[in-house]
Amino acid sequence: MLALLVIAVVVPVALRPDGLRVATALAGVLALASFGQMLVVMLGAIDLSLPAVITCSAGVVVHYGTPGSNLLAVVAAALAVAVVISLLNWFFISVIRLNAIIVTLATFGIVTGGVVLWTGTSFSLTGLAPTDLQNFTHWSVLSLNSSFIVAVAVGVTIAIVLSKTRGGRQVGAIGANRRAARFHGIKVRRVEFFTFGGVGLLYGLAGVLVAGIVGTPDTSVGTPYQLATITAVAIAGTAFNGGPSSTASVLCACLFLQLLDQALSIYGFAAGPRVVAQGVALVLAVSAITLGQFALSGLRWSNRGIHRGGEPIREQGVESKTTPPLNIKETI
C-alpha cells in the first residue's frame, strides 16, 4: 500500500481515470494468472508453463471465435484446454514425482511450439478477438476495468475456499510438509489434482480476458506473465517452499506492478528497463522475506534461551541444563 501511495504522489497521472482503466485492465489479468501461480507455490512448486497456457487459451478464443460462433462455447473450450494442460503438469509432478521446474518448462516449450505450428504467429486470418469479448473487457465501472472486477471476485472466492473449507486449508498444509500431510490422512494427490485443475482454469480465464483487451493477440501474448506472476507472488510475501498465502496481498502486488510499469512508461522508459524494474522488485521482495525468516528464527532461538527467575526451562519434556543466575550473597 505504501508503494501504491508513492506512485500516486510521484506519478499522479497514472491514477487519472483513463490511466486507471488501462492499469486495472492489465492488473486484473495479471492477478488471475498470479492467483494460479500462488496456488502452485503454496504446494511447494513453481509453474513456468503459465505463458504457454495463457497463449493457448487466447489462441483458441481468437481462432474459433469468428463472427456467428457461440462465444460462450468457445470460451468454455479455451478454459477446458487450459485445465487439461495444467492437469498434465499435475500428473507428472504429483503422480510421477518429477521436478516441477523441469516439467513445467517442458510443457512451456511443447505447448508454445504446438500453438505456433497450429495457428502460426497470428491466431486467425484476421487475428481479431471476438467483438463481444472486446466490448466486455473494455467496459469499466468507476474507472475500474471489468477484468479487475472479475479478478477481485475470483480472489474473494479463492480466499474463502482456502480459509473456510477443509480442502482449501489442506493446500497450505501439503505445501508446508507433504509427508506430514499424508501422515495426517490428507489425500495429497486428490487435493493437488483439484488445485492444478483450478490453476488451469485461472490461466485460461486470464488468456481469454487478455485476448479481449489486446484485441489482436499473437503467440507472445503470455510471455510477460512468467516473471510478473512470480514477482507478484514474492511481493505478496508467499514462501516459495510452500505454505499459506494471501489473495489480497497478491492482488495489491499486481496492481502495484502494473502501476509501476505504467509510471515508468510515462517517464519514457522502454520495455527492457521496465522488465529490469520487475526483476529488481523480485530480488528486493525475496531478500526481505529471507531476512524476515532469519530474524524470526533468531528471535525464536533467543526466546528459548531466556532464563526466568532462575527456573530451568523445560521444552518437550527435556529439562534444560542452563546454569541459574549467580547469587552474590551465597558466594560471600
Side-chain angles (χ1 to χ4, degrees):
M1 295 303 294
L2 179 61
L4 293 176
L5 181 61
V6 170
I7 291 178
V9 173
V10 176
V11 194
V13 67
L15 296 182
R16 290 179 181 175
D18 291 340
L20 195 59
R21 277 191 287 268
V22 174
T24 53
L26 298 176
V29 174
L30 177 58
L32 290 170
S34 297
F35 290 151
Q37 187 74 264
M38 178 196 74
L39 292 174
V40 176
V41 171
M42 287 177 64
L43 290 173
I46 195 168
D47 192 350
L48 300 180
S49 68
L50 178 152
V53 182
I54 290 177
T55 299
C56 187
S57 60
V60 171
V61 168
V62 175
H63 189 76
Y64 293 107
T66 55
S69 61
N70 188 332
L71 181 58
L72 292 179
V74 172
V75 170
L79 298 180
V81 169
V83 170
V84 169
I85 296 173
S86 187
L87 289 179
L88 287 175
N89 286 337
W90 163 81
F91 177 77
F92 288 105
I93 294 172
S94 181
V95 179
I96 308 299
R97 299 301 296 155
L98 298 181
N99 183 274
I101 294 178
I102 301 300
V103 170
T104 56
L105 187 60
T107 302
F108 169 75
I110 293 171
V111 174
T112 301
V115 171
V116 173
L117 290 174
W118 169 44
T119 64
T121 305
S122 179
F123 293 136
S124 66
L125 293 177
T126 62
L128 292 173
T131 303
D132 290 341
L133 179 61
Q134 292 189 52
N135 292 336
F136 174 76
T137 55
H138 288 88
W139 173 74
S140 61
V141 177
L142 300 176
S143 299
L144 297 178
N145 184 269
S146 58
S147 299
F148 188 77
I149 296 173
V150 170
V152 171
V154 171
V156 171
T157 303
I158 294 174
I160 293 174
V161 171
L162 291 178
S163 60
K164 302 298 183 182
T165 67
R166 182 179 179 183
R169 291 191 293 269
Q170 289 174 348
V171 174
I174 292 172
N177 194 321
R178 181 186 176 91
R179 185 174 299 177
R182 182 180 286 109
F183 178 78
H184 283 87
I186 297 176
K187 298 184 183 300
V188 174
R189 286 184 181 176
R190 186 175 69 178
V191 173
E192 290 180 336
F193 174 85
F194 286 107
T195 302
F196 271 92
V199 167
L201 191 62
L202 290 168
Y203 292 168
L205 184 56
V208 170
L209 292 179
V210 77
I213 292 171
V214 175
T216 55
D218 55 24
T219 53
S220 65
V221 69
T223 304
Y225 296 99
Q226 189 172 68
L227 176 62
T229 54
I230 296 173
T231 305
V233 172
I235 292 176
T238 306
F240 277 80
N241 56 353
S245 184
S246 168
T247 55
S249 298
V250 171
L251 184 64
C252 290
C254 292
L255 185 58
F256 160 71
L257 286 175
Q258 193 53 55
L259 287 174
L260 175 63
D261 184 77
Q262 188 165 315
L264 293 176
S265 179
I266 290 173
Y267 274 111
F269 287 89
R274 300 205 302 270
V275 174
V276 171
Q278 288 187 8
V280 171
L282 175 60
V283 171
L284 293 176
V286 174
S287 300
I289 293 172
T290 304
L291 291 175
Q293 289 175 344
F294 275 123
L296 182 60
S297 177
L299 181 61
R300 288 173 178 172
W301 280 106
S302 63
N303 287 339
R304 290 178 182 178
I306 294 176
H307 204 274
R308 297 179 179 176
E311 292 294 329
I313 298 176
R314 289 177 174 83
E315 185 174 326
Q316 297 179 352
V318 180
E319 186 176 88
S320 173
K321 301 299 182 182
T322 307
T323 306
L326 181 64
N327 192 324
I328 300 178
K329 293 183 180 180
E330 293 178 357
T331 58
I332 297 176

